């Protein structure tokens, strides 16, 4: 088992009173899904191919997945970032068609990452907004 997968599963175990974990393994790949019990919270998905490389992302189509596989320490930090963001409810999704953006609030600052969408003028007025809540 990769250290990233063990780290993800360890974080999930620490949240076992607030989440469930699903794992699907097929053709040498594993998809591990952290599902919060809170209805308005967002989950986290870890995808690993052959326990070597993969991605981690919020369970939202507007989220840009972060690539994993080069550095176990940096990969664990990336996993921690996504899990903490979801647990603390620091993400807002803006859905535009098949994509959109995720806005992350951190220490009074916010940043956006775009997936399959462009921030054309007036995009916020056209987007469906989802404010994710903390895990309770």
């Amino acid at each position: 088992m990769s250290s990233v997968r063990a780290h993800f599963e360890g974080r999930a175990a620490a949240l076992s009173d607030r989440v469930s974990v699903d794992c699907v393994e097929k053709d040498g790949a594993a998809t591990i899904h952290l599902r919060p019990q809170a209805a308005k919270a967002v989950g986290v998905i870890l995808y690993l191919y052959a326990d070597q490389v993969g991605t981690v992302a919020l369970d939202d189509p507007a989220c840009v997945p972060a690539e994993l596989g080069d550095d176990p320490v940096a990969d664990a930090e990336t996993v921690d970032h996504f899990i903490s963001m979801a647990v603390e409810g620091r993400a807002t999704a803006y859905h535009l068609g098949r994509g959109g953006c995720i806005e992350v609030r951190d220490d009074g600052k916010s940043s956006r990452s775009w997936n399959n969408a462009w921030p054309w003028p007036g995009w916020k007025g056209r987007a469906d907004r989802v404010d994710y809540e903390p895990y309770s």
Side-chain angles (χ1 to χ4, degrees), residues 18-130:
R18 298 180 272 173
V19 301
S20 63
V21 179
D22 301 324
C23 181
V24 176
E25 297 191 41
K26 183 177 179 181
D27 298 328
T31 303
I32 306 168
H33 196 152
L34 183 74
R35 297 181 192 275
Q37 293 173 355
K40 294 184 179 181
V42 66
V44 180
I45 298 175
L46 175 70
Y47 173 79
L48 293 172
Y49 177 74
D51 287 337
Q52 299 298 319
V53 296
T55 60
V56 63
L58 296 179
D59 186 14
D60 187 285
C63 186
V64 177
E67 292 186 26
L68 306 171
D70 294 334
D71 180 354
V73 174
D75 292 347
E77 289 173 356
T78 302
V79 165
D80 286 342
H81 171 74
F82 278 94
I83 291 176
S84 295
M85 182 185 351
V87 168
E88 296 166 9
R90 293 186 287 120
T92 298
Y94 294 92
H95 297 137
L96 293 158
R98 291 187 222 168
C101 81
I102 295 288
E103 182 176 81
V104 178
R105 296 170 302 284
D106 195 15
D107 294 330
K109 300 176 186 173
S110 64
S111 63
R112 292 188 187 114
S113 59
W114 291 87
N115 189 23
N116 200 27
W118 293 98
W120 298 109
W123 68 270
K124 270 191 171 182
R126 293 188 310 276
D128 293 324
R129 179 180 174 151
V130 180

